[in-house]
Amino acid sequence: MQDDPLLPLKKRFAERCGSDLARLRQLSPHAIEDIPQIISLAHGLAGAGGTFGFPAVSDRASALEDLLGLEAAEREVVSGAYDDLCEELAKTRHPAD
């Protein structure tokens, strides 16, 4: 893996996941005023996760973004998707070198 030219970017992305997780935990998927910030975070993670070797982050972020875009999304489903993304981000804090 040391020959991986993307390794520095992957490590930086893993660090970003930690800071994004901290930001997400300060927000609530049930507070209308927080939804745009959560969507923005999820959108960025959905686009970058797979690129840097974290497809589960990408999948969970995309699922959350989609649910938050629905007007009638059930709170339980949104909460589950939010928790899933936070859990996946927590796993990325110490990627294998």
Side-chain angles (χ1 to χ4, degrees):
M1 185 139 166
Q2 291 180 355
D3 294 334
D4 183 356
L6 293 179
L7 186 59
L9 295 174
K10 290 177 181 180
K11 286 182 177 183
R12 193 171 338 151
F13 179 76
E15 291 170 6
R16 170 188 163 187
C17 286
S19 64
D20 283 355
L21 175 59
R23 288 175 60 200
L24 278 170
R25 287 187 171 156
Q26 293 174 346
L27 303 169
S28 170
H30 304 297
I32 298 296
E33 64 275 6
D34 289 349
I35 299 299
Q37 293 175 65
I38 295 171
I39 289 174
S40 179
L41 283 167
H43 182 78
L45 289 163
T51 301
F52 295 113
F54 298 95
V57 168
S58 185
D59 292 344
R60 284 170 175 70
S62 182
L64 178 60
E65 181 183 15
D66 289 347
L67 286 170
L68 289 172
L70 299 174
E71 286 184 37
E74 295 180 29
R75 289 181 184 259
E76 203 171 292
V77 175
V78 170
S79 290
Y82 175 87
D83 292 342
D84 288 347
L85 176 57
C86 287
E87 182 179 312
E88 200 59 44
L89 290 173
K91 292 178 188 176
T92 65
R93 286 182 154 163
H94 305 288
D97 290 299

